[in-house]
Every structure is written in C-alpha cells, then in structure tokens.
Amino acid sequence: MQLGLIHMGQRLKQILKQRKIKIVDFARMAGFTNQIAHYHLRKSDMKRSTLERFCTLIGITPDEFYNWNSKVVSKNGKGQVTTVAHHGQRFTELIEEKGLNKSKLARRLDMSRRTMYNLFEKPVFDAAELETVTKALEMTEAAFLHPNTAEETRSAESDEMLALREKYYKLLEDYNQLLRQHNALKETMDTFKKDIVQLRKQARSKKV
C-alpha cells in the first residue's frame, strides 16, 4: 500500500489511542516534546525510516500500521503484541531474570546506584535512557518495550552469554585481587631479605 492512500498522522493517533498509549508517553519514548509529537500526528505523510521507528516503539510492524483498519497480523497466536506499561518495572524484572549484579550494572550504565534506582520508579524512559538501558542489558529496544515477541526471544538467546560474561568479570576481579596480594607478599619478602642482609653485615662488623 502506498503512503499517500492514508493520512499517516491520523492513523498513528488512532493506533496510539487503541493501544492506550498517551501522546505524552509516546513523545517521551520517541525522545521529543509534545509539540513535536503533535506535529507528526498532523502530518499526512512521513518517511519510511520514521514510520519504522514509530512502529517499533508502539509494538507493531509497518504492514500492521497500513492495514490497521482491515486486519491485525497475529503474533504468538494472540493477535496482538504486549507493550510495556511501566519501563522502570520492566527494567527491574529484566535485572532479576538475567541475575545481574546491580552495582556492576550501575557501572556499566555509567551512573550511580541512586540514579539507577530512580529509573526503577520511572514509568516511561526518554529516548536516551531507553538506549542506555537496552545497551547495558544487551537487548534491542523492541525486545525491551514488547515482551513475548520474536525480538525478545532472540534477545534471550544472549542471556547465557551475558551470564558467562558476568562470571568472567567475577573471575577477573578475583584474579586481580590475588595478583595484588601476590605483589604485596613479594614486596614483603624482598624487605625481609634486605633486612637479613643488613643484619648479617652488622654481625660481621661486630666480630671484626
């Protein structure tokens, strides 16, 4: 179907309403202001790349967008895609599912634990926060926003690798700790050797 056959903005507004996504929340998800969101909703046309991004955010495909009034493409046999209502809660659940260490995750996010915990309470992430979180979790934005989809299934395949990586980091930390202890012990032994040499010299001097 050609883009000119439908009013793209009105169709987007209709889908947002039916999926119970507020325009203000959609704006936050997309990373722009309410004014820009309303601008897109008034436009009769939009670029393919823009459409694909919006579809990813709201959990549908471009084909579903074009055919919204005629049929819904079934996914997972349910006829619809679940969209995350609370981003912070989703973030918390994924941390628990993946068994991630929160202190290490905060470092990976390049933020303090307090800032990370603030995200747990946030209902909707802005575009920058969503990108940061999904990169740290090593999953796509689509998999984060829309659970139980093919995207999340593909993302789950990397969970084992993520767990192995966490073990690797732990072993690396243990190794570095042992290395520091070894170096400290070596320095102590070197000091003892010097002291022994000095004591022997003093003993010889007294004999003379």
Side-chain angles (χ1 to χ4, degrees), residues 143-166:
F144 180 92
L145 294 170
H146 314 297
N148 304 319
T149 62
E151 281 287 346
E152 188 183 31
T153 300
R154 286 193 292 271
S155 177
E157 293 175 355
S158 66
D159 284 353
E160 183 177 356
M161 184 62 68
L162 188 61
L164 290 173
R165 186 172 299 175
E166 288 292 329

Side-chain angles (χ1 to χ4, degrees), residues 11 18 23 52 57 89 147 168 207:
R11 175 62 58 82
Q18 292 181 2
I23 295 176
E52 290 176 346
L57 290 175
Q89 184 177 351
Y168 167 76
K207 289 181 180 180

Side-chain angles (χ1 to χ4, degrees), residues 13 19 21 42 53 59 99 105 112 117 122 144 162 185 206:
K13 186 175 182 179
R19 296 182 72 81
I21 300 175
R42 290 194 300 268
R53 181 166 181 265
L105 181 60
S112 66
Y117 277 97
K122 195 167 184 178
F144 180 92
L162 188 61
L185 182 60
K206 289 180 180 180

Side-chain angles (χ1 to χ4, degrees), residues 119-171:
L119 287 178
F120 297 160
E121 305 298 326
K122 195 167 184 178
V124 179
F125 294 165
D126 60 34
E129 291 168 340
L130 183 61
E131 180 181 5
T132 299
V133 167
T134 52
K135 282 185 177 179
L137 294 175
E138 297 187 342
M139 65 191 308
T140 65
E141 293 183 7
F144 180 92
L145 294 170
H146 314 297
N148 304 319
T149 62
E151 281 287 346
E152 188 183 31
T153 300
R154 286 193 292 271
S155 177
E157 293 175 355
S158 66
D159 284 353
E160 183 177 356
M161 184 62 68
L162 188 61
L164 290 173
R165 186 172 299 175
E166 288 292 329
K167 291 181 180 179
Y168 167 76
Y169 289 147
K170 179 64 170 60
L171 289 172

Side-chain angles (χ1 to χ4, degrees), residues 1-204:
M1 182 178 294
Q2 298 299 317
L3 300 183
L5 296 179
I6 62 174
H7 189 291
M8 306 289 280
Q10 289 180 358
R11 175 62 58 82
L12 177 59
K13 186 175 182 179
Q14 174 193 10
I15 295 172
L16 290 175
K17 183 177 180 180
Q18 292 181 2
R19 296 182 72 81
K20 298 181 180 180
I21 300 175
K22 296 179 180 179
I23 295 176
V24 63
D25 291 336
F26 172 71
R28 289 174 184 169
M29 292 164 65
F32 43 59
T33 64
N34 289 345
Q35 289 81 0
I36 298 297
H38 283 284
Y39 164 75
H40 283 288
L41 295 176
R42 290 194 300 268
K43 290 185 66 176
S44 61
D45 200 357
M46 67 178 67
K47 294 180 179 179
R48 175 74 183 188
S49 58
T50 301
L51 172 64
E52 290 176 346
R53 181 166 181 265
F54 289 169
C55 287
T56 296
L57 290 175
I58 61 180
I60 63 175
T61 66
D63 285 340
E64 289 176 297
F65 181 93
Y66 294 134
N67 299 291
W68 190 258
N69 289 324
S70 58
K71 65 177 182 178
V72 177
V73 178
S74 176
K75 288 190 175 183
N76 297 329
K78 298 179 181 179
Q80 61 181 3
V81 178
T82 302
T83 300
V84 173
H86 194 291
H87 291 179
Q89 184 177 351
R90 168 72 166 157
F91 186 22
T92 304
E93 291 171 352
L94 285 168
I95 291 173
E96 294 177 355
E97 288 177 10
K98 295 175 180 291
L100 301 178
N101 180 286
K102 291 181 180 178
S103 296
K104 294 179 181 178
L105 181 60
R107 290 197 294 271
R108 192 182 303 172
L109 291 164
D110 194 24
M111 62 178 62
S112 66
R113 282 175 61 95
R114 179 179 294 276
T115 301
M116 183 178 71
Y117 277 97
N118 287 339
L119 287 178
F120 297 160
E121 305 298 326
K122 195 167 184 178
V124 179
F125 294 165
D126 60 34
E129 291 168 340
L130 183 61
E131 180 181 5
T132 299
V133 167
T134 52
K135 282 185 177 179
L137 294 175
E138 297 187 342
M139 65 191 308
T140 65
E141 293 183 7
F144 180 92
L145 294 170
H146 314 297
N148 304 319
T149 62
E151 281 287 346
E152 188 183 31
T153 300
R154 286 193 292 271
S155 177
E157 293 175 355
S158 66
D159 284 353
E160 183 177 356
M161 184 62 68
L162 188 61
L164 290 173
R165 186 172 299 175
E166 288 292 329
K167 291 181 180 179
Y168 167 76
Y169 289 147
K170 179 64 170 60
L171 289 172
L172 187 60
E173 288 179 0
D174 292 343
Y175 169 77
N176 289 333
Q177 179 66 22
L178 289 172
L179 188 60
R180 287 191 292 269
Q181 293 176 355
H182 169 76
N183 291 335
L185 182 60
K186 185 175 182 299
E187 290 178 1
T188 301
M189 292 297 295
D190 290 341
T191 301
F192 284 161
K193 289 179 180 179
K194 291 179 181 179
D195 290 343
I196 291 173
V197 170
Q198 187 64 29
L199 288 172
R200 286 177 177 174
K201 288 182 179 180
Q202 292 176 359
R204 292 195 190 103

